[in-house]
C-alpha cells in the first residue's frame, strides 16, 4: 500500500514533466522516470537501469547446505548470465537464461524467481527491496525487448535476410551503408522502447488506480477526505493523459515499423543495383586487359621474329598476368593486420600500362616471368662447359638404438656446444655445410638483382630469408660442430654463378663466417654464432649475428637476423621442429623495411601451421606489399593498393590495419625432396651433394673430416671414436695456444703470472688468452651495424687455383 502523500508526489511529478518538457524531455525518458518513481516505496525516486545492459551482485540459491551464495549477474541483449566473480566474465559463464521465453515472479520484498519453463530456474534474493525492484524493472524491459525482437525476426526474416544488408569488404560506399544500417538500428531500438513503455504505463497505471480506489474505500473524513478526493481527481487526469500518450505511441510505432520496412527494401534494391554495376565494370576491365595483352603479345612476336630459337619466353607473354588483375578472397586474419580485395577503382588502374601502378610494376612482372638467367645479357656470361654429374644418393641411415635419457639427464641447462654428443644425434654434414644450404634458392637473389624497384627487390630478399628454413622441417639431426679453422667451399660458378666460402672463426662461442659472391650481381655475407639450451623437453637454438645482402647494380644493402629454432619431444615422442620469432629486414640505402612474423605452432590455433606473414614498407612507413605463406612450402606477395585502420581490435586493444591488395602472386615455392629422402636424413637435392668429395679442396674442408665421412658411410662406432680423437686434438691445440699467449703476457707483466694448471679451467674459456686469428677472414667493425664481425679478406680462390695451401692448419 502506497502512502497518500507519496502518490500525490508521484502524480504531481508526472504532470509537471508532462506540462513542462518544452520538447526537451522525450517520451521514453518520462516513462522511465514515472516507473522508477511509482515502483519504489521511498520518497526518493529510484533510478532505473538502462534497458540494454545491467550488472550487479545478487544472492542465488545453490543448495540446502550452502543456501544463498553471492553471484555476479549480467543482463545483456535479452540474456541473463551469472558468474562466481567479476573476473570470470572473460572465460567462465556459470549459466544463462533467455528472457524472451522466461517468466519473472516476485516472492516477497527481496526475493524473486526467474524460470524458463522448468529446465532452468533461478531463485534470487536482492540486498534490499529497492535493489530487487531495479532488477525486476530491468528484467521486464529486457524480456519485452527480447520477445519483440524474436517476433519481428520470425515475421520478417524471409523478406529481409541479414545478409542482404551486409556490405562487401573493400567496396566503395561501405561507410554510407553502415550509417544507414546504424540509423535503422537506432530507430528500431527507440521504437521498441516506446512499445515497452506503452505496456508498462498501462500496467502500472491500472495498479495506481486500484490503490486509489482502496484509499477511497477507507471513508476518511475531514482534511484527509479532501486530500483523497483531490488525489482521485488528479489520478483521473493522469489516466486520461496516459491514454492519450499511449495512443500517440501506438500510432508512432505503427508508422515507424511501416517506414522501416520500406527503407530496408529500398536499401536492398540499391545494393543489388550497385553489385550489378561493379560486376559489369569488372568485366569491362578484364576485356580491356585482354585486348591490351593481345596487342603487346603481337608487338613482341614481331620484334622477336629474328631472335634465336633458344631464347626464353619474352616479356610480352601473359602466362601470369591474368592473376595481376583479378581479385582474391580475403585472407585469414593475421596477428597484426587484415588483407581484403582491392577496391574496383584500382582494377581499372592496374589494367592500363600508362598508369602509375603498372609503370611501377612493369619491372616486377619481368622478374616473375624471366627468361633463363644464363641468357640474360645484364650479367656476364660464361662458356658452356659439361657440368659435373653430382650424386643423388648417399648410404641409408642405419637404425641404431640409443638410450637417450642416460645421455640427456646430465645435460639440462648446459650449452649444447659444450656437451660431448655421440654421432647418433648428428647428420653427416657440418654446420658450415648447413649454412651453405641457405643457397638452395639462390635464384631469388638472382631475380632480386634484376629488379628496378627496391620495394619489389625487398620481396625477393624476404622470400630468400624465409626459404632457408624450408630444409629444416624434417631435419631433426644435429650438424657436426666445426673444428676451429675448418672451412667449406661451395663452388657453383659454372652452374649457378656463385662461389661460397665458410670458415669456423671461433670455437667458444662457436662462430662461423660465410661469404658468397655471385656473377649475377649480388653478395651475401654473414657471421652466425649459435646459442643453444637444452630445457629437458625441448631444445632451443638461437642464431646470433646479422646477414648482409648487397646488390651491385642498385647498391642496395639489406640486413636481417634469423629466428629461433625449437626441437620438441627430445625425451619422449617423435622429434619435430618449429620456427618462431620475428625478422626485420632493412634496406640501409633507401630506408625500406620488411617485418616478417613466424607464428609459433599452437595445438589450439585454427590458423595454418608454420605460418609466416609480413609487410614491406618504405622509409615513411607506407605499406606497399603484403607477404604471406609458410616457411616450409611457399611464399606469396600482394600489392597493397590502399590501407586503413580498422578491423577487429587486437589483443592489446589496438585496431588492426586493413590492407586492400591485388591478387597474391607466388614468389617462392619449396622444391620437392628427392626420392627416398626419408632414409637419407631428409636431405634435399643440394644437401646430398654437399659432402661429395671434389678435387682441389683445402686441407681444412669439411669434406675431409674423417668422423663425418665415417658416419655418412654408416660406420657410427668408428665415427664416435674418431670424433673424440678430433675433439681431444682440438683441446690440446687450444691449451698450447693459450699457454703461448699467457707466456707472452707474463714476460711483460710477471706479477700477473697464471698457474699453468689453470689453463684448462673452464672459467678461462672466454679469457683473452686465445690469440687465434682466422685464415681467410679478418675481424673488423661492421660499418652498417657497428658489430665486430669477420669479413672475407680474399685469397682463398686464388690459393685454390694455384693449389697452394701452405697456411692451412692441420686440424684433422
Amino acid at each position: 500500500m502506497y502512502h497518500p502523500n507519496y502518490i500525490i508526489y508521484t502524480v504531481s511529478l508526472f504532470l509537471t514533466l508532462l506540462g513542462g518538457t518544452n520538447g526537451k524531455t522525450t517520451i521514453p525518458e518520462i516513462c522511465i522516470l514515472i516507473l522508477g518513481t511509482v515502483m519504489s516505496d521511498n520518497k526518493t525516486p529510484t533510478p532505473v537501469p538502462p534497458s540494454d545492459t545491467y550488472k550487479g551482485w545478487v544472492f542465488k540459491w545453490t543448495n540446502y547446505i550452502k543456501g544463498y551464495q553471492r553471484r555476479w549477474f549480467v543482463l545483456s541483449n535479452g540474456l541473463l548470465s551469472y558468474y562466481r566473480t567479476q573476473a570470470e566474465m572473460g572465460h567462465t559463464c556459470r549459466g544463462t537464461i533467455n528472457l524472451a521465453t522466461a517468466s519473472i515472479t516476485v516472492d516477497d520484498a527481496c526475493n524473486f524467481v526467474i524460470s524458463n519453463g522448468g529446465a532452468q530456474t533461478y531463485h534470487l534474493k536482492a540486498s534490499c527491496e529497492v535493489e530487487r525492484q531495479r532488477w525486476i524493472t530491468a528484467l521486464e524491459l529486457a524480456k519485452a525487448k527480447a520477445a519483440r525482437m524474436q517476433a519481428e525476426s520470425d515475421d520478417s526474416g524471409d523478406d529481409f535476410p541479414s545478409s542482404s544488408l551486409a556490405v562487401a569488404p573493400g567496396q566503395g560506399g561501405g561507410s554510407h551503408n553502415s550509417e544507414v544500417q546504424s540509423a535503422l538500428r537506432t530507430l528500431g531500438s527507440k521504437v521498441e522502447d516506446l512499445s515497452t513503455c506503452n505496456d508498462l504505463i498501462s500496467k502500472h497505471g491500472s495498479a495506481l488506480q486500484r490503490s486509489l480506489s482502496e484509499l477511497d474505500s477507507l471513508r476518511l473524513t475531514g482534511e484527509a477526505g479532501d486530500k483523497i478526493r483531490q488525489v482521485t481527481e488528479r489520478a483521473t487526469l493522469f489516466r486520461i493523459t496516459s491514454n492519450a500518450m499511449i495512443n500517440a505511441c501506438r500510432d508512432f510505432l505503427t508508422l515507424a515499423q511501416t517506414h522501416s520496412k520500406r527503407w530496408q527494401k529500398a536499401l536492398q534494391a540499391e545494393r543489388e543495383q550497385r553489385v550489378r554495376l561493379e560486376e559489369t565494370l569488372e568485366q569491362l576491365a578484364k576485356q580491356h586487359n585482354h585486348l591490351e595483352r593481345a596487342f603487346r603479345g603481337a608487338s613482341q612476336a614481331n620484334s622477336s621474329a629474328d631472335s634465336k630459337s633458344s631464347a626464353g619466353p619474352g616479356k610480352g607473354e601473359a602466362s601470369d598476368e591474368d592473376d595481376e588483375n583479378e581479385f582474391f578472397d580475403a585472407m585469414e586474419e593475421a596477428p597484426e593486420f587484415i588483407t581484403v580485395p582491392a577496391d574496383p577503382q584500382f582494377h581499372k588502374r592496374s589494367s592500363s600500362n600508362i598508369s602509375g601502378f603498372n609503370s611501377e610494376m612493369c619491372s616486377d612482372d619481368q622478374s616473375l616471368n624471366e627468361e633463363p638467367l644464363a641468357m640474360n645479357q645484364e650479367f656476364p656470361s660464361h662458356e658452356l662447359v659439361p657440368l659435373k654429374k653430382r650424386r643423388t644418393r648417399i648410404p641409408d641411415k642405419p637404425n641404431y638404438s640409443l638410450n637417450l635419457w642416460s645421455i640427456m639427464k646430465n645435460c639440462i641447462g648446459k650449452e649444447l656446444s659444450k656437451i660431448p654428443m655421440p654421432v647418433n644425434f648428428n647428420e653427416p654434414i657440418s654446420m658450415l655445410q648447413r649454412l651453405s644450404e641457405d643457397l638452395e634458392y639462390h635464384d631469388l637473389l638472382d631475380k632480386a638483382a634484376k629488379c628496378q624497384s627496391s620495394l619489389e627487390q625487398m620481396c625477393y630478399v624476404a622470400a630468400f630469408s624465409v626459404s632457408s628454413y624450408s630444409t629444416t622441417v624434417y631435419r631433426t639431426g644435429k650438424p657436426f660442430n666445426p673444428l676451429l679453422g675448418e672451412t667449406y667451399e661451395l663452388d657453383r660458378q659454372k652452374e649457378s654463378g656463385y662461389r661460397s666460402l665458410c670458415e669456423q672463426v671461433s670455437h667458444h662461442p662457436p662462430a662461423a663466417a660465410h661469404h658468397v659472391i655471385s656473377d649475377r650481381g649480388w653478395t651475401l655475407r654473414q657471421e652466425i654464432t649459435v646459442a643453444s639450451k637444452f630445457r629437458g623437453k625441448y631444445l632451443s637454438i638461437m642464431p646470433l649475428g646479422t646477414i648482409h645482402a648487397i646488390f651491385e647494380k642498385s647498391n642496395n644493402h639489406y640486413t636481417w637476423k634469423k629466428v629461433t629454432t625449437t626441437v620438441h619431444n627430445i625425451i619422449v615422442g617423435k622429434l619435430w621442429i618449429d620456427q618462431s620469432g620475428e625478422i626485420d629486414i632493412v634496406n640501409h640505402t633507401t630506408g625500406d623495411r620488411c617485418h616478417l612474423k613466424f607464428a609459433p605452432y599452437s595445438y589450439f590455433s585454427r590458423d595454418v601451421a608454420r605460418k609466416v606473414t609480413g609487410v614491406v614498407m618504405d622509409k615513411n612507413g607506407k605499406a606497399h606489399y603484403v607477404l604471406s605463406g609458410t616457411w616450409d612450402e611457399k611464399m606469396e606477395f600482394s600489392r597493397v593498393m590502399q590501407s586503413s585502420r580498422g578491423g577487429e581490435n587486437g589483443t592489446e586493444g589496438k585496431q588492426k590495419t586493413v590492407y586492400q591488395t591485388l591478387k597474391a602472386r607466388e614468389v617462392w615455392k619449396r622444391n620437392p625432396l628427392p626420392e627416398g629422402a626419408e632414409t637419407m636424413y631428409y636431405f634435399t637435392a643440394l644437401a646430398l651433394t654437399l659432402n661429395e668429395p671434389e678435387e682441389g679442396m683445402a686441407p681444412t674442408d669439411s669434406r675431409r673430416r674423417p668422423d663425418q665421412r665415417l658416419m655418412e658411410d654408416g660406420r657410427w662406432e668408428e665415427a664416435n671414436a674418431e670424433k673424440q680423437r678430433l675433439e681431444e686434438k682440438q683441446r690440446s691445440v687450444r691449451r698450447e695456444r693459450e699457454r703461448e699467449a699467457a707466456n707472452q703476457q707474463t714476460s711483460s707483466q710477471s706479477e700477473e703470472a697464471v698457474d699453468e694448471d689453470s689453463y684448462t679451467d673452464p672459467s678461462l674459456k672466454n679469457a683473452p688468452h686465445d690469440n687465434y686469428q682466422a685464415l681467410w677472414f679478418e675481424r673488423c667493425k661492421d660499418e652498417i651495424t657497428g658489430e665486430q664481425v669477420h669479413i672475407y679478406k680474399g685469397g682463398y680462390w686464388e690459393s685454390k687455383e694455384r693449389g697452394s695451401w701452405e697456411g692451412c692448419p692441420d686440424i684433422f
Side-chain angles (χ1 to χ4, degrees):
M1 187 71 65
Y2 296 101
H3 193 276
N5 290 338
Y6 179 69
I7 297 175
I8 293 171
Y9 167 79
T10 302
V11 178
S12 301
L13 175 63
F14 172 75
L15 294 176
T16 301
L17 289 172
L18 190 64
T21 59
N22 296 326
K24 297 181 181 179
T25 305
T26 62
I27 293 178
E29 291 172 348
I30 297 175
C31 298
I32 291 176
L33 289 171
I34 294 282
L35 294 175
T37 305
V38 172
M39 292 189 297
S40 175
D41 59 353
N42 294 323
K43 293 185 179 181
T44 303
T46 303
V48 176
S51 59
D52 291 337
T53 181
Y54 190 54
K55 305 175 183 178
W57 292 102
V58 180
F59 292 91
K60 178 183 178 295
W61 175 263
T62 56
N63 52 52
Y64 287 99
I65 297 177
K66 296 183 179 180
Y68 284 95
Q69 295 293 322
R70 193 163 175 255
R71 297 290 184 261
W72 180 257
F73 277 79
V74 177
L75 174 61
S76 177
N77 297 325
L79 299 175
L80 179 66
S81 308
Y82 76 94
Y83 311 83
R84 286 186 179 177
T85 62
Q86 290 178 261
E88 284 189 346
M89 290 182 61
H91 52 83
T92 306
C93 178
R94 302 292 175 174
T96 302
I97 282 186
N98 187 352
L99 296 178
T101 58
S103 62
I104 305 172
T105 308
V106 179
D107 282 355
D108 52 29
C110 296
N111 292 44
F112 58 102
V113 179
I114 303 174
S115 176
N116 63 355
Q120 286 179 298
T121 301
Y122 295 166
H123 294 269
L124 308 177
K125 182 170 69 174
S127 57
C128 61
E129 186 174 356
V130 175
E131 183 64 23
R132 184 215 65 181
Q133 193 57 51
R134 288 175 179 170
W135 274 104
I136 292 296
T137 304
L139 291 169
E140 286 181 346
L141 287 170
K143 177 183 176 181
K145 186 174 181 178
R148 189 174 301 277
M149 290 178 64
Q150 182 176 355
E152 291 180 356
S153 176
D154 294 340
D155 293 341
S156 60
D158 296 335
D159 296 334
F160 307 103
S162 59
S163 61
S164 65
L165 296 178
V167 181
Q171 293 180 350
S175 59
H176 177 69
N177 286 349
S178 300
E179 293 177 0
V180 174
Q181 293 179 62
S182 176
L184 289 175
R185 286 194 296 269
T186 303
L187 180 59
S189 175
K190 295 300 181 183
V191 169
E192 293 168 3
D193 290 343
L194 285 175
S195 178
T196 303
C197 291
N198 182 346
D199 298 336
L200 292 178
I201 286 178
S202 177
K203 174 182 176 181
H204 294 292
S206 300
L208 177 61
Q209 190 67 39
R210 287 195 301 272
S211 299
L212 291 174
S213 299
E214 292 175 0
L215 285 176
D216 191 36
S217 63
L218 295 179
R219 299 178 180 276
L220 298 177
T221 58
E223 185 177 357
D226 294 339
K227 289 290 185 181
I228 291 299
R229 283 190 295 273
Q230 185 179 5
V231 169
T232 303
E233 292 175 357
R234 292 184 177 180
T236 302
L237 292 175
F238 165 75
R239 188 174 185 82
I240 294 172
T241 307
S242 298
N243 288 335
M245 186 185 69
I246 288 172
N247 292 333
C249 290
R250 186 179 294 110
D251 294 340
F252 175 78
L253 176 64
T254 303
L255 186 62
Q257 288 177 340
T258 302
H259 284 286
S260 176
K261 292 182 178 181
R262 290 180 181 175
W263 292 339
Q264 287 181 355
K265 290 181 179 179
L267 179 62
Q268 174 64 10
E270 290 293 334
R271 182 182 178 278
E272 291 176 353
Q273 183 178 2
R274 176 184 171 180
V275 170
R276 289 193 297 268
L277 290 174
E278 289 176 349
E279 291 175 351
T280 303
L281 179 62
E282 183 177 353
Q283 292 177 358
L284 290 174
K286 285 184 177 181
Q287 292 174 4
H288 175 80
N289 185 47
H290 286 311
L291 292 173
E292 188 179 68
R293 285 203 322 275
F295 174 76
R296 289 204 304 265
S299 300
Q300 181 69 20
N302 293 333
S303 62
S304 61
D306 298 331
S307 62
K308 295 182 180 180
S309 60
S310 60
K315 300 175 184 177
E317 294 188 5
S319 57
D320 291 328
E321 289 192 18
D322 284 340
D323 297 338
E324 181 72 19
N325 302 284
E326 294 180 2
F327 299 148
F328 69 107
D329 294 333
M331 293 172 55
E332 189 169 355
E333 180 181 330
E336 298 177 352
F337 58 86
I338 303 172
T339 59
V340 298
D343 195 284
Q345 62 179 317
F346 299 113
H347 190 294
K348 183 175 181 180
R349 198 189 309 172
S350 65
S351 300
S352 174
N353 63 357
I354 62 173
S355 66
F357 166 67
N358 201 57
S359 62
E360 187 175 339
M361 290 288 288
C362 62
S363 61
D364 306 344
D365 296 338
Q366 297 173 10
S367 59
L368 287 176
N369 297 301
E370 197 61 64
E371 62 271 11
L373 295 173
M375 297 299 173
N376 194 319
Q377 299 302 320
E378 295 181 12
F379 304 111
S381 59
H382 298 277
E383 296 181 4
L384 295 178
V385 296
L387 300 180
K388 177 182 176 181
K389 184 177 181 181
R390 304 190 182 275
R391 66 183 185 180
T392 58
R393 288 198 62 85
I394 60 174
D396 290 348
K397 178 181 179 181
N399 186 17
Y400 291 139
S401 60
L402 180 67
N403 187 352
L404 183 62
W405 178 245
S406 64
I407 299 173
M408 289 296 183
K409 64 182 180 181
N410 296 323
C411 302
I412 297 176
K414 296 182 180 179
E415 190 170 338
L416 189 64
S417 61
K418 298 182 180 181
I419 299 173
M421 304 288 283
V423 299
N424 303 60
F425 299 105
N426 287 53
E427 57 183 13
I429 60 173
S430 71
M431 179 59 73
L432 303 181
Q433 293 166 311
R434 194 71 174 263
L435 277 179
S436 301
E437 272 196 85
D438 289 356
L439 301 172
E440 173 97 14
Y441 301 96
H442 63 89
D443 59 300
L444 292 172
L445 296 181
D446 294 340
K447 294 179 181 179
K450 299 161 64 178
C451 290
Q452 297 180 9
S453 166
S454 63
L455 295 167
E456 170 75 7
Q457 190 176 69
M458 176 70 82
C459 293
Y460 284 102
V461 174
F464 176 78
S465 69
V466 174
S467 68
S468 61
Y469 299 99
S470 64
T471 62
T472 67
V473 62
Y474 301 115
R475 301 273 290 278
T476 56
K478 172 185 174 293
F480 279 79
N481 286 335
L483 302 174
L484 187 62
E486 184 176 336
T487 61
Y488 180 75
E489 67 167 64
L490 185 62
D491 190 351
R492 295 289 192 269
Q493 189 174 41
K494 295 180 180 179
E495 299 153 277
S496 305
Y498 68 84
R499 277 179 166 179
S500 167
L501 176 65
C502 293
E503 181 180 1
Q504 187 76 0
V505 296
S506 173
H507 188 61
H508 286 297
H514 185 202
H515 183 270
V516 189
I517 182 69
S518 173
D519 294 337
R520 308 283 168 77
W522 55 268
T523 301
L524 184 74
R525 62 177 174 88
Q526 59 181 320
E527 181 177 344
I528 299 297
T529 300
V530 177
S532 52
K533 289 292 184 180
F534 176 60
R535 304 297 186 182
K537 295 175 64 177
Y538 63 90
L539 176 70
S540 294
I541 303 171
M542 296 151 286
L544 308 176
T546 304
I547 305 172
H548 297 253
I550 304 100
F551 295 92
E552 297 176 3
K553 183 179 179 181
S554 60
N555 201 31
N556 288 330
H557 190 141
Y558 298 86
T559 62
W560 69 92
K561 296 179 181 290
K562 289 181 175 288
V563 296
T564 300
T565 300
T566 306
V567 184
H568 295 270
N569 294 343
I570 294 293
I571 302 300
V572 180
K574 185 179 179 181
L575 294 175
W576 60 279
I577 291 179
D578 191 26
Q579 313 288 348
S580 60
E582 299 181 359
I583 295 179
D584 285 307
I585 306 176
V586 181
N587 184 341
H588 295 274
T589 304
T590 63
D592 301 338
R593 288 180 174 269
C594 176
H595 179 75
L596 294 174
K597 183 172 183 180
F598 289 65
Y601 175 80
S602 174
Y603 179 80
F604 302 99
S605 176
R606 295 179 296 176
D607 216 337
V608 180
R610 310 182 183 98
K611 185 175 182 179
V612 181
T613 55
V615 181
V616 175
M617 297 171 287
D618 58 23
K619 62 180 180 181
N620 298 320
K622 180 182 177 181
H624 290 264
Y625 293 95
V626 170
L627 295 164
S628 62
T630 57
W631 54 262
D632 66 324
E633 283 295 336
K634 66 177 181 178
M635 289 295 294
E636 298 176 337
F637 77 99
S638 308
R639 174 79 183 198
V640 175
M641 307 309 299
Q642 188 173 351
S643 62
S644 60
R645 302 292 293 180
E648 299 178 1
N649 290 339
T651 56
E652 299 180 356
K654 299 179 181 178
Q655 284 189 326
K656 298 180 182 179
T657 303
V658 179
Y659 295 118
Q660 294 187 23
T661 62
L662 293 182
K663 172 77 174 181
R665 304 183 67 178
E666 186 175 271
V667 64
W668 163 75
K669 185 176 183 180
R670 179 174 67 95
N671 297 328
L673 291 174
E675 185 178 356
E678 62 278 0
T679 63
M680 299 184 294
Y681 309 90
Y682 286 98
F683 279 180
T684 62
L686 175 63
L688 289 174
T689 68
L690 293 179
N691 207 39
E692 185 177 9
E694 293 188 4
E695 296 180 358
M697 299 182 302
T700 54
D701 196 278
S702 298
R703 300 177 182 90
R704 299 185 183 274
R705 183 165 175 166
D707 55 348
Q708 187 172 300
R709 181 66 60 190
L710 289 169
M711 183 191 178
E712 182 181 284
D713 294 338
R715 300 154 63 184
W716 285 16
E717 293 183 4
E718 299 175 57
N720 278 320
E722 191 65 22
K723 183 172 181 289
Q724 292 181 9
R725 182 190 69 81
L726 292 174
E727 291 173 350
E728 182 57 36
K729 180 179 180 180
Q730 179 175 239
R731 283 190 287 268
S732 299
V733 174
R734 181 180 179 85
R735 284 194 294 267
E736 181 64 28
R737 192 166 55 247
E738 290 174 348
R739 183 180 294 109
E740 293 176 359
N743 290 336
Q744 293 177 3
Q745 183 177 3
T746 55
S747 64
S748 59
Q749 298 177 349
S750 58
E751 67 277 6
E752 298 181 4
V754 182
D755 183 23
E756 184 173 289
D757 294 336
S758 67
Y759 296 150
T760 58
D761 190 339
S763 64
L764 297 179
K765 290 293 186 182
N766 296 322
H769 296 312
D770 191 349
N771 57 358
Y772 176 80
Q773 292 184 355
L775 184 59
W776 309 111
F777 291 80
E778 60 180 353
R779 186 174 178 83
C780 60
K781 183 178 180 181
D782 191 287
E783 297 179 356
I784 298 295
T785 62
E787 303 171 345
Q788 289 293 327
V789 296
H790 286 81
I791 297 180
Y792 179 61
K793 62 183 180 181
Y796 180 88
W797 302 108
E798 292 78 5
S799 297
K800 181 180 179 181
E801 291 177 1
R802 296 193 306 265
S804 175
W805 304 106
E806 291 85 359
C808 293
D810 179 17
I811 60 175
F812 299 139

